[in-house]
Amino acid sequence: MTNRSNFHERELVDADYTALARFRRAIRVFLSFSERAAKECGVTPQQHQAILAIRGFAPGSEMSVGDLAEHLLIQHNSAVELVNRLQQAEFVERSITTDDRRRVHIALTPKAHALLEKLSTAHLLELRKSGHALAETLDRFYQNDLAS
């Protein structure tokens, strides 16, 4: 975001509300697409999000259940249950670290990689098709901010 103090120095105007409303709608449209795509592939949206988070975690690093909880903004015990379901579906494998047996790393299986490639391809195509709406709303927001 640009200078946050601009919002404290001026009243919000109609264009601010319009930009925020359009931005939230564009996000919701994309999320709705994402939820449908995940369900069509036989996983829940949260499972898809977890698989993507694991795959997108810092290259060369192993993600722990705690890292996943933090990334998904959920409680640790909820992440454990999610990983349990992913493991039952053969999307992840767990390993315990040798230096701290309490720390459990999770890794994707080939089955998860195949699913994620299919879903990610669909998501990238959707973003190419409708992502301009999201970009336009952000651009309008920043233009409104700069104009004040």
Side-chain angles (χ1 to χ4, degrees), residues 27-28 30-39 41-57 63-64 67-74 79 82-83 85-86 91-92 106 108 112 115-116 119-120 123:
I27 289 172
R28 189 63 209 129
F30 180 74
L31 289 176
S32 179
F33 162 82
S34 182
E35 291 164 3
R36 279 191 317 275
K39 289 175 185 174
C41 286
V43 294
T44 68
Q46 191 176 44
Q47 288 172 326
H48 170 225
Q49 189 177 5
I51 292 168
L52 181 59
I54 296 165
R55 176 63 177 88
F57 197 63
M63 180 176 260
S64 70
D67 294 329
L68 182 63
E70 185 178 314
H71 187 84
L72 298 180
L73 305 175
I74 60 176
L82 178 57
V83 170
R85 290 190 301 276
L86 289 169
F91 288 122
V92 298
I106 44 181
L108 298 180
L115 171 75
L116 187 58
L119 281 168
S120 295
H123 280 72

Side-chain angles (χ1 to χ4, degrees), residues 13-26 133-134 136-145:
V13 297
D14 288 343
D16 294 322
Y17 295 106
T18 300
L20 285 169
R22 288 181 179 166
F23 177 70
R24 287 188 60 95
R25 182 172 191 312
L134 192 58
E136 284 177 12
T137 58
L138 281 173
D139 188 50
R140 283 187 194 133
F141 177 75
Y142 285 114
Q143 292 305 319
N144 292 341
D145 189 37

